[in-house]
Amino acid sequence: MGNPVLVALDQGTTSSRAIVFDMHGATLASHAIEFPQYYPQPGWVEHDPDDILNTQITALREAVRMSGVDVSDIAAIGITNQRETTLLWEKDTGRCVHNAIVWQCRRTAPYVEKLMAEGKSQLIKEKTGLVPDAYFSGTKLAYLLDTLNLHERAKAGQLCFGTVDTFLAWHLVEGRPHVTDATNAGRTMLFNLHTQQWDPELLDMLNIPAQVLPTVVDSAHVIGNLRPEILGRPIPVAAMAGDQHASLFGQACFTPGMVKNTYGTGCFMLMNTGDVPVESKNGLLTTMAWRLNGQPTYALEGSVFMGGATVQWLRDELKMIQTAAESEQLAESVPDTAGVFLVPAFTGLGAPHWDMYSRGTIVGMTRGTGRAHIVRAALEAICYQSYDLYAAMVADCDGREPVQMNVDGGASANSFMMQFQADIMGIPVVRPVVLETTALGAALLAGIGVGLYASKEEAASMVRPDLTFQPRMDKENRDLALYGWHRAIERAKGWVETR
Ligand code: ADP
């Protein structure tokens, strides 16, 4: 055997990616394949399960081929995935009874409204750490069983439910294990964070028979061997974790108080809270960071709906820029926004504002306002929204401030934004060499799963910081900027009339 390498399968919402890493966390090859999105009705989103599986297998084969490594050098494979997306298949044939219902799909909103009307919100929050919402898998599974009339078959043990990690493991691993990891289980609204088990009361509430559920395992755990026909050899599949959890791990946010923010289409911020699940008083979710050796580590999570998507909007709708990257140069061509604030509340505002009736607005414009000011205000808005999540997390943790924030995701390549983020938060922002921290996290977890690394601390030495953005704004200007932002937020709130 030559130098051992690790492979991550990163099954995302729009593409399936595979990355080959060396043991030191350097990327040897990466390949991603996009697949179609289906929108059968407004607000509904589906994936074809065959697309998920086929693109993932092809991406794996292609990345391994491009890396030039010998298949016998692959020490382990880790899976990370789009969370909450729901699949249901026949145990005998593997045939899915329906397309995958994607996390974004709103079709089960009536289920959630019913649960809320029945006064179940607090129970759900206490047990799962989640705010009841159609995103989570539970109501999607209930919908499939109800609309396809599958309760009898489910009770008879003829059907398997899975999120994407479970679906991939079932198809890729010898012996067809029916397993999920604790981080993915935690996004179903059926899993009890405290007992670390499927919760009978929650199952009852949605009329879901326990027979359809996968076994819950640790995030680093040898599930079995990759089916040999895929790469020509059996290779241990040794980790599974939801994408945001893998990213927190890939950023080596191992100690309580460490926080990461991923700047993609939306932004996802997670803060490690250690071995206690912290209940948010500010509209954040309580979730698992990961589970190792049966021990859960918890996190607080918040998301910004319009992150990099705000930049896409500048490019595609306003045509103010031609490429996302150009926004950086344009923002830096002016010293400030000249008093302009842009609130991208296009689909309402999430944590900590939670106002679905707010809409986008631009305030503070004068006759001298130009394209660069608007673009700069848009980039700053991504940072302000992230700041608001951060402030909520700090408040939930009794005011304890992290020493730094780690960043990743496509839009974190924008150095203007990262500097502004550091300025507005008043703590350093650290960007790693490998921006694909989700995949790196899955690879590191797999390395731990097969014992290639003795501990997570040893694995963490593979995570290398690239650039640190030190805060440069003084407190007075910071307070002034945040004051302006919060005034702008008030203008955006409640815009849609409900009368
Ligand atoms: P996702 O995983 O959600 O598809 P990515 O991590 O690939 O997202 O990041 C893509 C997003 O980042 C897009 O919304 C894009 O507009 C934005 N983006 C990419 N590069 C830049 C940049 N240099 N500056 C600002 N935004 C960027």
Side-chain angles (χ1 to χ4, degrees):
M1 191 156 165
N3 291 324
V5 301
L6 295 163
V7 177
L9 304 183
D10 181 0
Q11 205 303 307
T13 310
T14 57
S15 68
S16 299
R17 181 184 294 277
I19 303 190
V20 183
F21 292 100
D22 72 11
M23 252 198 85
H24 309 292
T27 305
L28 301 179
S30 170
H31 192 70
I33 305 171
E34 288 195 14
F35 56 85
Q37 311 285 313
Y38 295 101
Y39 306 104
Q41 288 187 33
W44 292 29
V45 193
E46 294 180 3
H47 292 158
D48 180 336
D50 288 339
D51 286 344
I52 293 179
L53 188 60
N54 295 335
T55 53
Q56 192 61 76
I57 291 175
T58 308
L60 167 62
R61 288 186 172 138
E62 194 53 20
V64 170
R65 189 192 63 75
M66 287 162 64
S67 73
V69 302
D70 197 303
V71 172
S72 62
D73 288 340
I74 304 174
I77 295 175
I79 296 173
T80 180
N81 57 290
Q82 51 165 322
R83 301 179 298 173
E84 297 124 8
T85 295
T86 300
L87 296 109
L88 186 65
W89 61 91
E90 293 174 343
K91 199 174 257 173
D92 277 357
T93 64
R95 196 182 64 84
C96 282
V97 300
H98 194 276
N99 270 347
I101 302 185
V102 178
W103 59 275
Q104 296 149 323
C105 187
R106 307 308 297 167
R107 82 180 66 187
T108 56
Y111 279 78
V112 175
E113 278 157 28
K114 183 163 170 278
L115 292 176
M116 286 162 76
E118 289 167 0
K120 303 286 191 201
S121 298
Q122 191 52 29
L123 177 85
I124 292 173
K125 190 155 189 252
E126 274 167 21
K127 289 192 170 206
T128 68
L130 307 173
V131 175
D133 194 281
Y135 282 135
F136 307 114
S137 321
T139 59
K140 297 182 197 293
L141 174 56
Y143 163 91
L144 286 176
L145 294 173
D146 292 348
T147 46
L148 302 175
N149 210 359
L150 291 171
H151 284 281
E152 288 313 313
R153 294 189 66 194
K155 278 195 206 114
Q158 294 170 9
L159 298 172
C160 297
F161 152 74
T163 40
V164 170
D165 55 319
T166 308
F167 175 72
L168 288 178
W170 204 84
H171 281 280
L172 300 181
V173 177
E174 283 183 295
R176 306 216 179 279
H178 189 212
V179 289
T180 188
D181 95 296
T183 67
N184 276 296
R187 311 297 293 191
T188 58
M189 228 169 79
L190 304 171
F191 189 73
N192 188 313
L193 277 184
H194 311 279
T195 63
Q196 289 289 304
Q197 305 206 332
W198 299 116
D199 191 282
E201 195 179 358
L202 297 174
L203 294 178
D204 251 13
M205 188 179 76
L206 284 166
N207 196 17
I208 290 172
Q211 291 87 329
V212 296
L213 301 173
T215 305
V216 182
V217 299
D218 283 356
S219 313
H221 173 89
V222 180
I223 299 149
N225 282 326
L226 188 75
R227 289 193 356 247
E229 62 268 32
I230 296 175
L231 287 180
R233 283 183 83 99
I235 299 163
V237 175
M240 297 196 293
D243 52 9
Q244 299 308 322
H245 313 268
S247 150
L248 189 70
F249 198 86
Q251 288 276 18
C253 291
F254 295 156
T255 38
M258 289 187 83
V259 61
K260 72 94 194 178
N261 196 18
T262 300
Y263 299 79
T265 308
C267 300
F268 285 91
M269 190 180 290
L270 269 76
M271 181 191 275
N272 183 328
T273 63
D275 52 14
V276 273
V278 173
E279 197 178 323
S280 178
K281 293 184 263 326
N282 295 286
L284 303 170
L285 304 179
T286 308
T287 196
M288 249 166 296
W290 45 76
R291 198 174 91 186
L292 296 175
N293 303 321
Q295 268 297 323
T297 297
Y298 295 94
L300 279 169
E301 171 175 328
S303 58
V304 166
F305 303 150
M306 296 293 297
T310 311
V311 180
Q312 282 168 2
W313 171 74
L314 292 176
R315 186 192 62 192
D316 302 339
E317 258 62 51
L318 298 194
K319 311 225 184 295
M320 282 194 174
I321 48 174
Q322 278 175 342
T323 64
E326 193 191 325
S327 63
E328 177 167 354
Q329 192 193 350
L330 205 56
E332 279 177 336
S333 71
V334 287
D336 52 43
T337 67
V340 173
F341 289 90
L342 186 156
V343 185
F346 301 133
T347 55
L349 287 166
H353 307 291
W354 290 116
D355 178 12
M356 59 180 157
Y357 302 112
S358 53
R359 285 297 176 268
T361 188
I362 304 177
V363 294
M365 289 189 287
T366 64
R367 182 64 183 79
T369 300
R371 185 167 71 106
H373 296 115
I374 305 281
V375 169
R376 186 173 174 125
L379 296 183
E380 290 187 359
I382 299 172
C383 302
Y384 284 128
Q385 293 180 96
S386 297
Y387 169 86
D388 284 342
L389 289 181
Y390 168 77
M393 282 181 186
V394 171
D396 277 338
C397 294
D398 304 323
R400 282 192 303 275
E401 291 217 23
V403 290
Q404 66 181 50
M405 181 166 81
N406 295 33
V407 297
D408 53 63
S412 72
N414 189 312
S415 296
F416 163 78
M417 253 172 65
M418 296 305 103
Q419 181 59 51
F420 190 77
Q421 189 72 74
D423 287 346
I424 219 68
M425 285 174 40
I427 59 169
V429 163
V430 180
R431 189 167 67 189
V433 178
V434 176
L435 282 184
E436 297 283 357
T437 53
T438 303
L440 181 61
L444 296 179
L445 281 166
I448 291 172
V450 290
L452 194 63
Y453 306 115
S455 63
K456 62 183 191 309
E457 287 68 27
E458 191 182 317
S461 62
M462 311 302 150
V463 181
R464 286 168 297 167
D466 181 22
L467 261 184
T468 298
F469 300 87
Q470 294 290 348
R472 293 196 301 231
M473 200 184 273
D474 59 37
K475 186 170 180 323
E476 197 182 334
N477 280 318
R478 189 148 65 90
D479 289 348
L480 207 59
L482 288 168
Y483 172 68
W485 165 252
H486 290 126
R487 280 179 70 213
I489 282 272
E490 289 309 314
R491 303 288 163 115
K493 279 188 181 168
W495 180 256
V496 178
E497 290 189 313
T498 47
R499 274 180 283 129

